[in-house]
């Protein structure tokens, strides 16, 4: 992909940046295969001498750690993984779909007023912690706490400003005359947007979907306050690996974190070409 | 939409008092004109005159603030572009960047669900006529500006709507191709009996193809005329200078009343007021501007000539040349045969005679309006 030769200085800077970014990933990967005795070892053990999969096993079999004398892990992570997948996938799909409609409406038809995009963004100006409690109060009175419907509703509401704004910028960058020419060719407004606009902002659409998925996948605050027993997500589950006897189960946490990375890495790999194009789309004046 | 019986005398398009402003900025202030069926009407105007806005309102891409658009006898206000039975070339062409030349030209036919073999035949024919057959399998980004322009033309001309709207359809072509293609457009329009409404800032293009010219300025129609009438009988000074190259001479002149209409004093000479200017000049201000087309001046022997001046510049145009001559009262451009310039040297004394006084124009110097009876 990169055809330009880098100078030694550039290489060094690049290597330093990579080291900073990748070190935590490396540490988590290593911790996830460390036995409990190595988790908190001092001096730190960088690469475990006796790697084990027991941490991963513990995720789905809470008693697996007993062979190391660690008990009190109460719950399997299966529900959290499925819950995260469900909530993130559905919320992302809804957020991007609604955001796309809003983006086209604002960009092409000036729907609402000039302030509409700002008003939409204003929802993001409160820290999630500030609105989490009111949400819980409202949701408990309408029976949406501890349910995926409630969680997804919050996720859509929380990410909609981002999907709207990102998609609006991609639609803005696409010359509207391309759609207009299609309408003159004989397409209705709706069909022109479906068959002309959307394919042409495909890169942006993928990039937005990816971004919203990451937001939902890693969300913690809302899930924490909404999840009692029926629902769970990976970030909430991560916080539960603290036992009275053995303290924080770093290895198990790391194992779950590694699992949580998998879908992102796969999706990221699959769409990297679209992602790159999506990111540079705005830079090109057509 | 097509094939409904129409009275042939009815204009294919009627614009009635179109007004449009964008964010408080007025673009059109009451544009009304009609396009006769099977004619080529040109909207002529400089950038910002409202040409594109007018075409977009006709196409239904924008909605007018007031006024009506009537296409084929039906008021199409509020209709979607696809229902208006028009084809249009937008001024930035707006090709599908992700589709080949073939797919771009074929697009309107594909949408209408024409049979594939019919589409292929029509597209190939159109591409051959427009000389873009070699680009059919390529994406727009790999085409030259001229090729893109012709693909856009093909995409519009592949249909037979009741009205074609062409927004500067030849602007990004090189000069040779532009002249060739505008002749081709004109031929196509005449042979097929199409109705064209073409917008251009280029008066030579308007003169070359138009049956009727609608001159637009600052969002209003200033003159509707046949091309030659626009040239000979412009509505005001701005119209006179916009049409014609080299530009019309505007000489400060004054009217000296007297017998037989009196005399006009200009460029340090006097001429009798020509009959067609008599009433206008007599009723207007004493000082006015005299418009003289460069081809209505001719070189003459300085001794007996009406105007005596010095030669300031020679600009050869090939067959013709433009001379700039200057005296104490005026600077005039003169269009002459290039053969006449061989013996001339800069700064020499030259004489000029008016050759076509019936074509002289008189303008009010402050308003620019024609001085007419």
């Amino acid at each position: 992909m990169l055809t330009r030769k880098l100078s030694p200085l550039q290489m060094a800077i690049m290597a330093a940046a990579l080291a900073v970014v990748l070190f935590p990933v490396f540490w988590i990967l290593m911790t996830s295969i460390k036995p409990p005795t190595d988790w908190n070892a001092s001096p730190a053990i960088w690469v475990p001498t006796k790697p084990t999969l027991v941490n991963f096993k513990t995720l789905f079999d809470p008693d697996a750690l007993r062979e190391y004398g660690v008990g009190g892990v109460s719950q399997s992570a299966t529900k959290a993984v499925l819950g995260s997948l469900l909530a993130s996938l559905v919320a992302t799909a809804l957020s991007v779909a609604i955001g796309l409609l809003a983006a086209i409406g604002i960009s092409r038809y000036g729907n609402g007023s000039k302030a509409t995009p700002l008003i939409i963004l204003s929802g993001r100006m409160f820290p999630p912690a500030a609105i989490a409690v009111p949400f819980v109060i409202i949701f408990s009175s309408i029976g949406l706490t501890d349910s995926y419907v409630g969680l997804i509703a919050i996720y859509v509401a929380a990410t909609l400003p981002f999907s709207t704004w990102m998609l609006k910028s991609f639609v803005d960058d696409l010359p509207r005359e391309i759609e207009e020419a299609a309408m003159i060719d004989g397409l209705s407004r709706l069909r022109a947007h479906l068959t002309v606009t959307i394919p042409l902002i495909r890169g942006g659409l993928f990039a937005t979907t990816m971004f919203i998925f990451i937001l939902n996948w890693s969300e913690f605050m809302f899930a924490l306050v909404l999840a009692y027993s029926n629902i769970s997500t990976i970030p909430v589950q991560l916080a539960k690996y603290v036992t009275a006897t053995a303290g924080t189960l770093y290895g198990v946490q790391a194992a779950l974190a590694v699992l949580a990375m998998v879908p992102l890495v796969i999706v990221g790999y699959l769409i990297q070409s679209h992602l790159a194009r999506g990111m540079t789309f705005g830079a090109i004046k057509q | 939409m097509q094939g409904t019986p129409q009275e042939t005398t009815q204009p294919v398009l009627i614009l009635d008092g179109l007004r449009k402003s964008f964010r408080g900025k007025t673009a059109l202030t009451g544009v009304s004109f009609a396009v006769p069926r099977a004619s080529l009407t040109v909207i002529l105007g400089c950038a910002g005159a409202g040409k594109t806005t007018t075409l977009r309102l006709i196409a239904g891409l924008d909605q007018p603030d007031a006024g009506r658009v009537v296409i084929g006898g039906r008021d199409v206000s509020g209709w979607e572009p696809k229902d208006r039975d028009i084809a249009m070339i937008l001024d930035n062409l707006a090709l599908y960047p992700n589709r080949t030349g073939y797919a771009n030209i074929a697009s309107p036919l594909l949408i209408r669900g024409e049979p594939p073999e019919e589409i292929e035949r029509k597209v190939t024919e159109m591409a051959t006529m427009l000389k873009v057959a070699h680009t059919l399998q390529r994406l727009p980004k790999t085409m030259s500006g001229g090729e893109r322009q012709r693909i856009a033309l093909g995409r519009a001309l592949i249909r037979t709507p009741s009205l074609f709207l062409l927004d500067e359809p030849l602007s990004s072509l090189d000069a040779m191709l532009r002249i060739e293609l505008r002749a081709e457009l004109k031929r196509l329009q005449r042979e097929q009996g199409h109705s064209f409404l073409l917008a251009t800032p280029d008066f030579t293009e308007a003169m070359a193809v138009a049956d009727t010219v609608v001159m637009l300025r600052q969002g209003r129609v200033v003159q509707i005329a046949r091309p030659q009438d626009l040239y000979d009988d412009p509505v005001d000074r701005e119209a006179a200078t916009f049409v014609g190259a080299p530009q019309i001479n505007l000489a400060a002149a004054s009217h000296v009343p007297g017998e037989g209409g009196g005399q006009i004093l200009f460029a340090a000479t006097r001429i009798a007021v020509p009959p067609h200017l008599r009433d206008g000049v007599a009723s207007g201000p004493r000082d006015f501007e005299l418009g003289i087309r460069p081809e209505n001046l001719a070189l003459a022997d300085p001794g007996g000539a009406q105007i005596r001046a010095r030669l300031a510049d020679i600009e050869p145009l090939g067959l013709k040349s433009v001379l700039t001559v200057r005296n104490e009262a005026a600077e005039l451009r003169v269009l002459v045969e290039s053969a006449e310039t061989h013996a001339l040297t800069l700064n020499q004394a030259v004489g000029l005679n008016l050759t076509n006084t019936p074509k002289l124009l008189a303008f009010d110097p402050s308003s620019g309006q024609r001085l007419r009876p």
Side-chain angles (χ1 to χ4, degrees):
Chain A
M1 283 239 256
L2 204 67
T3 50
R4 204 162 55 90
K5 275 254 162 62
L6 295 174
S7 73
L9 180 66
Q10 286 170 313
M11 293 281 265
I13 294 173
M14 197 84 99
L18 268 179
V20 169
V21 172
L22 291 181
F23 179 73
V25 178
F26 164 80
W27 197 256
I28 285 179
L29 276 173
M30 288 304 117
T31 305
S32 73
I33 53 171
K34 284 176 192 171
T37 46
D38 289 0
W39 294 347
N40 281 330
S42 178
I45 295 169
W46 286 59
V47 179
T49 45
K50 282 177 282 175
T52 167
L53 287 176
V54 69
N55 297 320
F56 288 94
K57 236 184 269 170
T58 307
L59 292 177
F60 304 103
D61 172 14
D63 290 331
L65 268 180
R66 286 198 188 280
E67 60 175 291
Y68 290 92
V70 178
V73 182
S74 54
Q75 203 182 55
S76 128
T78 316
K79 186 155 83 178
V81 172
L82 294 178
S84 265
L85 277 174
L86 173 71
S88 301
L89 288 175
V90 175
T92 302
L94 286 175
S95 174
V96 171
I98 299 170
L100 181 62
L101 295 179
I104 291 174
I106 292 168
S107 176
R108 290 297 189 250
Y109 304 103
N111 286 356
S113 74
K114 268 188 203 162
T116 308
L118 266 183
I119 294 170
I120 290 174
L121 194 64
S122 68
R124 293 300 311 187
M125 290 172 185
F126 306 96
I131 52 174
V133 173
F135 256 121
V136 172
I137 295 170
I138 296 169
F139 273 29
S140 49
S141 69
I142 55 177
L144 282 181
T145 47
D146 208 19
S147 85
Y148 285 112
V149 175
L151 191 61
I152 289 168
I154 287 200
Y155 280 5
V156 172
T159 56
L160 202 48
F162 291 124
S163 55
T164 305
W165 267 71
M166 282 181 77
L167 289 168
K168 177 183 168 297
S169 75
F170 292 118
V171 179
D172 283 346
D173 282 340
L174 182 72
R176 67 166 65 203
E177 286 85 355
I178 297 175
E179 295 156 12
E180 291 173 343
M183 292 176 201
I184 286 166
D185 278 354
L187 293 182
S188 65
R189 277 180 229 282
L190 180 65
R191 275 190 68 199
H193 290 312
L194 290 179
T195 61
V196 179
T197 316
I198 291 175
L200 287 174
I201 59 161
R202 199 177 46 208
L205 205 53
F206 278 125
T208 307
T209 306
M210 177 79 178
F211 179 68
I212 302 295
F213 183 79
I214 292 172
L215 282 183
N216 288 332
W217 188 249
S218 55
E219 203 286 325
F220 176 62
M221 175 69 67
F222 292 124
L224 181 69
V225 298
L226 280 182
Y228 304 154
S229 57
N230 285 337
I231 68 171
S232 185
T233 66
I234 290 172
V236 172
Q237 183 70 20
L238 277 173
K240 287 187 178 162
Y241 290 116
V242 183
T243 60
T245 50
T248 306
L249 307 177
Y250 292 112
V252 185
Q253 283 188 325
L256 186 53
V258 169
L259 273 194
M261 269 188 260
V262 171
L264 300 187
V265 171
I266 292 174
V267 177
Y269 179 78
L270 287 180
I271 70 170
Q272 63 172 341
S273 60
H274 296 296
L275 195 65
R277 196 190 311 159
M279 293 303 184
T280 56
F281 205 89
I284 299 160
K285 185 84 196 151
Q286 303 212 352
Chain B
M1 290 293 138
Q2 283 155 40
T4 42
Q6 301 285 347
E7 285 180 52
T8 47
T9 51
Q10 184 192 49
V12 67
L13 171 75
I14 300 168
L15 300 185
D16 182 14
L18 284 189
R19 291 170 176 278
K20 180 73 182 171
S21 46
F22 296 101
R23 283 177 229 102
K25 214 173 149 279
T26 305
L28 298 182
T29 58
V31 167
S32 304
F33 64 88
V35 173
R37 197 167 293 278
S39 77
L40 202 161
T41 301
V42 169
I43 304 181
L44 178 64
C46 53
K51 304 187 295 293
T52 297
T53 305
T54 305
L55 293 185
R56 289 178 60 89
L57 293 180
I58 298 168
L61 296 174
D62 290 319
Q63 302 306 320
D65 299 335
R68 289 190 315 145
V69 177
V70 178
I71 297 174
R74 288 175 303 244
D75 187 338
V76 296
S77 307
W79 293 21
E80 282 204 38
K82 71 180 174 69
D83 299 324
R84 295 191 174 203
D85 196 19
I86 46 112
M88 180 172 182
I89 302 178
L90 293 136
D91 66 348
N92 70 357
L93 307 182
L95 297 176
Y96 297 115
N98 51 344
R99 301 187 199 170
T100 60
Y102 183 94
N104 267 284
I105 295 181
S107 157
L109 304 181
L110 286 168
I111 289 168
R112 280 167 183 73
E114 294 206 9
E117 57 277 15
E118 184 73 356
I119 293 180
E120 182 160 3
R121 185 185 62 75
K122 284 186 182 171
V123 172
T124 312
E125 205 172 278
M126 183 58 68
T128 310
M129 189 196 90
L130 294 170
K131 301 186 175 64
V132 283
H134 59 288
T135 67
L136 284 182
Q137 301 314 319
R138 286 164 32 191
L139 289 176
K141 67 179 173 199
T142 69
M143 298 178 193
S144 70
E147 286 165 348
R148 267 179 238 160
Q149 186 115 40
R150 282 173 284 159
I151 295 285
L153 265 174
R155 182 174 162 192
L157 295 174
I158 198 96
R159 292 167 51 197
T160 49
S162 59
L163 177 64
F164 287 91
L165 306 170
L166 313 174
D167 195 357
E168 303 189 25
L170 306 175
S171 58
S172 60
L173 301 176
D174 58 51
M176 288 282 283
L177 193 59
R178 182 159 52 214
I179 291 169
E180 190 182 318
L181 214 52
R182 91 183 170 207
E184 187 69 15
L185 269 182
K186 178 71 186 165
R187 184 187 65 77
L188 201 75
Q189 179 267 326
R190 198 178 289 150
E191 283 181 5
Q192 309 278 319
H194 290 321
S195 308
F196 275 18
L197 180 57
L198 183 152
T200 179
D202 177 357
F203 83 92
T204 47
E205 194 169 300
M207 301 291 273
V209 300
D211 296 315
T212 307
V213 178
V214 176
M215 195 160 178
L216 215 55
R217 186 193 304 154
Q218 288 170 356
R220 70 179 77 235
V221 175
V222 292
Q223 189 167 12
I224 301 176
R226 293 185 300 121
Q228 194 60 46
D229 293 340
L230 192 69
Y231 188 79
D232 290 338
D233 194 14
V235 66
D236 57 14
R237 183 176 55 199
E238 219 176 313
T241 50
F242 193 70
V243 175
Q247 231 174 40
I248 190 168
N249 293 298
L250 293 169
S254 42
H255 177 225
V256 184
E259 190 180 325
Q263 289 182 311
I264 295 173
L265 183 63
F266 80 101
T269 191
R270 278 165 191 271
I271 59 165
V273 176
H276 74 287
L277 290 181
R278 211 163 272 172
D279 293 344
V281 166
S283 59
R286 204 182 77 88
D287 292 317
F288 63 99
E289 279 180 324
L290 191 64
I292 313 155
R293 294 277 179 200
E295 67 273 22
N296 295 334
L297 287 167
L299 281 176
D301 177 53
Q306 287 175 309
I307 302 165
R308 276 187 285 276
R310 288 195 173 274
L311 182 62
D313 190 29
I314 304 176
E315 186 191 341
L317 301 177
L319 181 62
K320 302 267 187 177
S321 292
V322 182
L323 308 181
T324 306
V325 304
R326 206 175 281 151
N327 67 13
E328 63 274 27
E331 184 179 279
L332 299 170
R333 286 171 297 276
V334 188
L335 191 66
V336 298
E337 300 286 336
S338 291
E340 294 180 72
T341 66
H342 296 329
L344 296 176
T345 53
L346 286 185
N347 224 17
Q348 79 168 78
V350 291
L352 296 175
N353 280 336
L354 287 166
T355 55
N356 204 347
T357 49
K359 299 275 188 187
L360 288 178
L361 303 169
F363 302 102
D364 184 306
S366 49
S367 71
Q369 291 303 307
R370 286 277 298 281
L371 295 178
R372 299 173 193 269

